[in-house]
Structure formats: C-alpha cells, structure tokens
Amino acid sequence: SVTLTSTASTDAIRATSGKVVKPGVWQHVFVTYDGSAKSSGLRVYVDGKLDTSRPDTRALSKDASIRTKVPLRIGGRLNRPGLEEVAVQEVRMYGRKLSDREVKDLADGPALVAGLEAGEKRSKAQGDALFEHYLAHEDSAYRELDGKLVALEAERDQIKARSPLTHIQEEVKDKMPMANILMRGQYNKVGEAVEAVPPAALHPLPEGAPKNRLGLAQWLVDKANPLTPRVTVNRFWQEVFGQGIVRTPEDFGIMGAAPSHGELLDWLAADFRDNGGDVRRLFKLMVTSATYRQSAAVTPEKLEKDRDNALLSRGPRFRMDGEMVRDYALAASGLLSSKMYGPSVKPYQPENIWDVVGLPNGDTRNYVQDKGENLYRRTVYNFWKRMAPPPNMDLFNAPSRDASCVRRERTNTPLQALVTLNDPQFVEAARVLAEKALVQAGGDAAKAVDYLVGRVLGRAPNEKERSVLMAASKDFSAHYGKSPEEAKALIGVGESKPTATIDAPVLAAWTMVSNQVLNLDEALNK
C-alpha cells in the first residue's frame, strides 16, 4: 500500500494493491499521484500494469499539504519496522505524473534489453515486446492512431460516467428456453420439461422463427394471427367513437362482450393487416366514414332503441379525456407549445400538494413550478407523481398509471366544471383568447363573438348564441367597470402578461366570455 499523509494518520490518502509480492522475483512497482487530494488520484502499477483492485474513498482535508519534514521511507513508516527479507534495487522520483505508457516502458526496460541481447535466440514473448515498443516509440503513424484511440476511449468513459445505467434483458446464447411442469403447482415437485411454443389450440410459430422473444413478436404479428389486428383496430375505434365494437377491449375472450358489428370488425382488421398496419390510413378511413360524420343529435326513438349508441345510430358524442380538454384550451388560445420530446414539465398545480406524501430527503419533496414555455406544453409531458397525481387530471378520470389502462371511465361531476372555470391554466387560456378576439375585432363586439366561437367551436354562432354572448359581455363590462381591482386580479392570473393596450375591465369582461365558450359542452365533448 501507498500512503500520503498531511498532519496525522487520519488526514491521509491511501492506495492499496491487491497483488502480493512474489518471493525470489524482481518486480517493478510504481506509484503516480495527480495532486487531487483524493485517494482516487493515487495509482499503483505492478510490473507496468495498473492495479485498482482495492479502492479507497478517503481524501485529504482542505488546504492540506503532503510536504513534511518526515523522510520518505520505503517498506514501512517512521519508527516502525519495515518489510523483512525484501531488497530494493533502484528508486526513481519524477517531478510530474507519468502516463500509463511511460510507466509500462520503465517496467519493460530490462526485458527489452534482454530481448535485444538475445538476438535471433529471443523468445516469442521478447519479440512481441520489442515490436510493441517499436510501434509505440518509432512508428509515427501508429502513435497518431493510438492517440486518437485513447481520446475516443476517454470520451466514451466520460459519456458512460454521466449517463444513467439502464438494465436490459438479453436472450441466453446457444440455449433453448424451457421450463418444467410443476406437479399440482408445487415448486418442489418438478415434472416434465417443456419448450417455448405457442398453445396447440392457436396457430404455430412462423416458419424459421426462433423460439425466443423475437419469435414471439413474429408470431404476434403473423398474418395467421387474427387477434392482434382485431384488438388494435378495436382500440382505435374506441378512441374515435367512444366505445369499441367490442365493449371490453381488455377481454376478447368468452368472458368479454360480443362485438356489436362482428363483420365490420373483421373487415377493418383484415384491411389494417393487409395495408401494413398503417395507423394514419385507418384513422382517415374511420373519420371520413358516413357513420362518423352523421349527426350526434338524439331523438326519442334513438334513445329508446339505442341508448348507448352501440348500434351506431348517431354520431359519437362523449367528453374528451382530461389531457385533451387541457390541450384543447391551450390550442384554442394559441398558448400550446409545439415543442417535442425532452424531460417532464411541471405546470400550474395547487400549492403544497406534495407535502403529505413527499419524503424528507427525496428529490420530489417539493413541487417547483416551471416557467415559460414549459407551462404550455402538451399534457403528455406533465410530470406525474404516483402518490400525488395532478388533481385536474385526476378529476377527469385519468388513470393512476399503476397498471395498464385500456379503457377509461368517464364521469361528469361539478368538480370538473370547477377545474375548467377556475384552474389558472384555463383562466389564462381564456384571457389570451379574449386578447386575440379583441385585437381581431377592432372593438366590434359582434366580430369578437364570431372570432371566439369560430376559434373554439370551429363554426359561426347562430343569432341566439350571438345575442347571449353579447349580453354577457355587457353584464361583465358593467361589473368590472365598477370593480377595477377585481378586473386586474382576473387578468393577472397566469405567468404570461396581459396586453397593456386593452383596458383591464374590458379584457376581464371578455375573459369571462371566453371562459364561457371554452366551457360549452360542444367544446368539452368530442
């Protein structure tokens, strides 16, 4: 071991080699130190090879120095017996840290001399050592390439050091996967060994497919397997129409519901399969169909015969998922960020919501709200703490993410209205939308109403809707005209700053009108 001490044995760094000195053999031992005051800066070489088998985590204290009046002693410490029956032939000290190559050259020196003196009688090992020495010191092209290699390896090591470690699974090489039948399910009563193959009742593995995870993947998407495209198409249909052709997307077995339109499901699945699983084409096919484009209006007859629209007697109409509701409000106002990928973001959320479940020293102890563009990114990028999910998503039946969810429940509660009416994200979106409407209308209330309705609902308002919204704008203008402080408080919600060229009472009034439009069933429902 090598010890560098400052003032006491406790203020020292140490490097210890795991190799034992061989008796009766001269060995080359070398130590380098980089001045970092850490044990990791000490490197021990034995016969030119770096040995790091026993790392030490100690470090010298701040401003410590290893320059002392105590003399250097090899083989022991001051006033302590040294190593017995050990001889030292030569000691060298350098004023700088030597590289690995330089240490190896020092260690190989005697062997290289012996190889040169041996001439044609030199052994293969001596010849290889001389050739390696020639490449390292005489061949300029080799030295250039070796330097590039060292730099690339150092860059690789730096990338590995700053990157998280991800564990992956890999198939066992040259060995077939197998398992044993457990007699009556008892782990200590092992029965016959069986190989990995699909159940006999289903189609076999494709010809040439390996009996591993790759083979299973090929089996799943094989044209002989009708279940994969049927399940996939059914889930896409559920996204567009609110419920699948099979109402139990998690169960296509005998315990699940029968398809309402079996032939349609078969045709869609076959078409999806034969067109290479083209998702864009499938969605275009569904949304341009006469079934999807029919009116969602409900008549007494349709309600009596097809209450749940299982027979597709009318167009789909259902409340959007929580993520879609939030993203739609941001998109209608123009706030939605188009940025893709990147780490999770933390938008508006009630204060101190993580206090109850946050660990004292955890890295998610406190919720720190983001700023700028991160407040307006798509909801799919929102940070999700399992023990304290975002309340505005939880109220809209977002799943807990503890398990896979193939079908969400849909409820309609007053709490959802409280979110869309009062959540800072929605109030801010309504204010930004009102600003755009007022700028576009140039002070014309009727044009402002037309802009709001067109932007949110994608159509022009009828006369009744226009009159209702115009009357609401007058009422709100009168209220905030008398309460300018309330107006300033309302338009001050959110991080983005309100337009200074629009009077606060006017902007507040139209913010409320925008909020009304964003809360219409036609805006919240698909």
Side-chain angles (χ1 to χ4, degrees), residues 38-314:
K38 298 179 180 179
S39 293
S40 58
L42 277 173
R43 297 161 70 91
V44 180
Y45 299 80
V46 178
D47 292 332
K49 295 180 180 179
L50 177 65
D51 182 67
T52 56
S53 58
R54 297 175 64 182
D56 195 301
T57 59
R58 284 181 287 187
L60 290 170
S61 60
K62 187 178 181 181
D63 300 328
S65 173
I66 58 173
R67 294 181 179 274
T68 66
K69 296 180 180 179
V70 178
L72 172 68
R73 185 170 185 181
I74 299 176
R77 294 186 181 182
L78 186 64
N79 301 324
R80 294 187 183 181
L83 297 175
E84 297 180 357
E85 300 180 2
V86 174
V88 178
Q89 184 181 38
E90 182 180 7
V91 177
R92 295 185 182 183
M93 298 187 70
Y94 295 84
R96 63 178 177 85
K97 177 189 174 184
L98 300 190
S99 66
D100 294 352
R101 167 62 63 183
E102 291 173 319
V103 175
K104 189 175 188 308
D105 289 343
L106 289 174
D108 292 344
L112 293 174
V113 173
L116 288 173
E117 293 176 348
E120 296 181 356
K121 296 181 181 180
R122 70 175 64 98
S123 65
K124 183 178 183 303
Q126 289 175 325
D128 291 342
L130 287 170
F131 181 63
E132 183 179 351
H133 181 79
Y134 167 79
L135 291 176
H137 295 276
E138 304 298 333
D139 192 329
S140 59
Y142 176 87
R143 290 202 306 273
E144 181 181 356
L145 292 174
D146 185 59
K148 292 181 179 179
L149 177 62
V150 170
L152 289 173
E153 289 178 341
E155 182 180 2
R156 178 200 61 193
D157 294 340
Q158 290 177 357
I159 293 173
K160 286 184 176 180
R162 67 172 183 260
S163 302
L165 179 65
T166 302
H167 296 280
I168 62 172
Q169 289 184 328
E170 186 179 4
E171 300 287 352
V172 178
K173 304 297 183 183
D174 304 321
K175 185 177 180 180
M176 290 294 296
M178 54 78 64
N180 290 92
I181 297 176
L182 303 181
M183 309 308 295
R184 301 183 65 83
Q186 299 186 47
Y187 69 90
N188 59 347
K189 293 186 178 181
V190 180
E192 179 185 357
V194 291
E195 292 185 353
V197 292
L202 301 177
H203 65 285
L205 283 170
E207 185 177 352
K211 294 182 178 180
N212 54 20
R213 290 182 296 159
L214 175 60
L216 176 61
Q218 295 173 351
W219 178 82
L220 284 173
V221 298
D222 186 25
K223 287 192 173 183
N225 180 11
L227 189 60
T228 299
R230 279 166 59 87
V231 170
T232 304
V233 164
N234 190 68
R235 292 192 183 180
F236 289 150
W237 184 277
Q238 177 181 267
E239 286 297 313
V240 173
F241 287 90
Q243 66 178 12
I245 298 174
V246 176
R247 290 188 296 105
T248 54
E250 72 281 358
D251 189 352
F252 265 57
I254 58 174
M255 299 300 291
S260 59
H261 300 73
E263 293 182 1
L264 173 61
L265 180 61
D266 292 342
W267 185 87
L268 286 171
D271 182 76
F272 183 66
R273 177 200 64 193
D274 295 341
N275 285 281
D278 191 336
V279 176
R280 183 186 294 271
R281 181 183 180 279
L282 175 64
F283 270 91
K284 183 178 180 180
L285 181 66
M286 288 190 290
V287 299
T288 57
S289 66
T291 304
Y292 179 79
R293 295 166 66 186
Q294 65 184 328
S295 172
V298 180
T299 64
E301 182 182 6
K302 290 180 179 180
L303 193 60
E304 178 185 356
K305 296 182 178 180
D306 189 17
R307 185 194 65 178
D308 298 327
N309 201 27
L311 303 179
L312 305 173
S313 62
R314 55 189 182 274

Side-chain angles (χ1 to χ4, degrees), residues 5-58:
T5 305
S6 176
T7 57
S9 59
T10 56
D11 191 8
I13 54 176
R14 177 181 298 171
T16 305
S17 170
K19 296 182 179 179
V20 179
V21 176
K22 300 174 183 178
V25 178
W26 286 106
Q27 288 186 274
H28 184 272
V29 179
F30 201 89
V31 179
T32 64
Y33 174 54
D34 62 4
S36 63
K38 298 179 180 179
S39 293
S40 58
L42 277 173
R43 297 161 70 91
V44 180
Y45 299 80
V46 178
D47 292 332
K49 295 180 180 179
L50 177 65
D51 182 67
T52 56
S53 58
R54 297 175 64 182
D56 195 301
T57 59
R58 284 181 287 187

Side-chain angles (χ1 to χ4, degrees), residues 388-405:
N392 53 3
M393 292 297 105
D394 195 30
L395 291 173
F396 279 93
N397 309 111
S400 64
R401 303 192 180 185
D402 289 342
S404 175
C405 176

